[in-house]
Every structure is written in C-alpha cells, then in structure tokens.
Amino acid sequence: MKAAKSTCFRRLAIFCRRAALMLAVVVPIVAATTSAAQTQVFVPGNTNGCFGNAVDECIPLVAAFTASRPGKITVTYVSGTVTDAGGINTGPDGVPWIDPRFQIPLQEKFGVWFKKMTRLDGLIGVFVPQSRVQRKGFRALDGTKGVTRVGIMPDGIFFIGTGKTFRVNEAGTLFLGINDCWVSDNGGGFKVTVTGP
C-alpha cells in the first residue's frame, strides 16, 4: 500500500513539474502574440496625399503602421515642426490661417471651402482596409482626382494632432500626412510613434 501511495505521489509530482514547464513556455508565447507592436515614423512637411484644392504637388501619404487584426491604434507625437513660406512654424496641432484660394485636406473631407482655415499644417491620418491597399494600382493619394488608379477617399481623413487613439475593425494600413494642399514651400516634419495590433 505504501508503495502504491509513493508511486502515485511521484507521478503527481512529475505531472506538476511538466505542467509548470508547459505554462512557462506557453504564457510568454500568448503574451507575445497579444502584445502591441510599435514603430517610429517621420512624416515630411510636404506629405499632402494630393488632398485639398488647389494642389501644387502630389506627395503620397506615409504608410505608418499596418494592423494585422482588429484592435486599437495609438499615434503619439514625438518631435518636429512643419515650416511654411507664410512664416508658419507649427507643431502637429497646426495653426489657423486665412486664405480664400485654398481648400486644405480636412476641408475637402467635408466638402467645404472656408476662407479661414484651422489646423493648417497639422498632422492628419487615414486608415485604409487591407483589401483596398492590396488592390493593383493602389497609391496613397486622393482617389477622387484621377492621379491614381486606386486611391484613398477624402471622407476617411481625420485629425491626429499631438496624439490620437482609435479602434480599427479589420486589418489595414494607417497612412499619415500634413493638412496642407500647397506644399512645395513646406519643410520640416513630424516624428511620431505608432502602436497597434
């Protein structure tokens, strides 16, 4: 009887050690697959995506982060300013500006044309589903102006500024740019970190 009990306890002890070892291996793997990825990106001050009117240059938006699944994406400003010929030297929140000749990207999104602009040269973004990004001929440019076969629709653009967290419901790519249409006289840019699924 003692031998049976002793054998049972030994088997239980061996099982417990093996189970603990398996947990030690499995838990880090699960943690690694559920943790967020992070990248740092530079967005040049002339990156307009051809959005707005009138446009002097069509510079594709920067592919900042590709999400492989649904989840939250966070964009955080790190450093940098955008300079403009009008004497502007601004951070990612942009500046107000009056000029009736131009429609900047965030105005184009809403189909409006205001004499007074807000957030000029601020940081903007758009999330594009993977199915669209992978289509033949896709470029990170305004899809309504005939500058690319497959592009991005202006209604998806949103303001980021110094930071923004938002949820995506599918895999896709976050593109970043500057809220300006006339960019040949722009310089500088913004360095940001992007974290996501």
Side-chain angles (χ1 to χ4, degrees):
M1 192 69 163
K2 280 184 181 177
K5 278 186 182 177
S6 177
T7 302
C8 181
F9 285 129
R10 261 189 259 136
R11 287 185 181 160
L12 185 59
I14 290 169
F15 172 78
C16 288
R17 280 195 299 270
R18 287 184 181 160
L21 182 60
M22 284 178 62
L23 280 174
V25 170
V26 170
V27 169
I29 291 172
V30 171
T33 57
T34 58
S35 68
Q38 187 178 66
T39 188
Q40 195 166 85
V41 180
F42 180 73
V43 183
N46 65 347
T47 310
N48 64 355
C50 213
F51 291 101
N53 291 292
V55 176
D56 64 338
E57 291 184 355
C58 289
I59 310 297
L61 298 180
V62 175
F65 186 85
T66 298
S68 57
R69 62 183 187 277
K72 284 184 183 176
I73 295 177
T74 299
V75 182
T76 307
Y77 167 73
V78 175
S79 64
T81 59
V82 168
T83 58
D84 199 318
I88 295 169
N89 186 15
T90 183
D93 284 335
V95 294
W97 191 257
I98 295 175
D99 195 329
R101 299 172 300 161
F102 300 109
Q103 177 192 53
I104 55 179
L106 286 174
Q107 291 176 324
E108 183 183 2
K109 168 188 177 158
F110 295 108
V112 296
W113 201 302
F114 294 129
K115 185 172 142 178
K116 183 176 181 181
M117 306 173 197
T118 59
R119 300 175 173 159
L120 176 68
D121 292 327
L123 181 64
I124 58 173
V126 59
F127 184 79
V128 183
Q130 187 175 22
S131 58
R132 187 164 189 85
V133 174
Q134 291 179 340
R135 283 180 61 187
K136 187 175 180 179
F138 174 83
R139 290 184 67 206
L141 296 170
D142 188 335
T144 65
K145 292 190 173 82
V147 292
T148 183
R149 227 172 83 195
V150 181
I152 300 170
M153 298 298 108
D155 62 354
I157 298 171
F158 54 87
F159 179 68
I160 294 175
T162 55
K164 185 175 182 71
T165 298
F166 58 97
R167 177 167 285 282
V168 296
N169 298 319
E170 59 187 317
T173 301
L174 171 67
F175 293 91
L176 299 177
I178 304 299
N179 191 34
D180 195 358
C181 58
W182 201 262
V183 294
S184 61
D185 55 5
N186 286 14
F190 304 128
K191 187 189 292 185
V192 300
T193 58
V194 186
T195 307

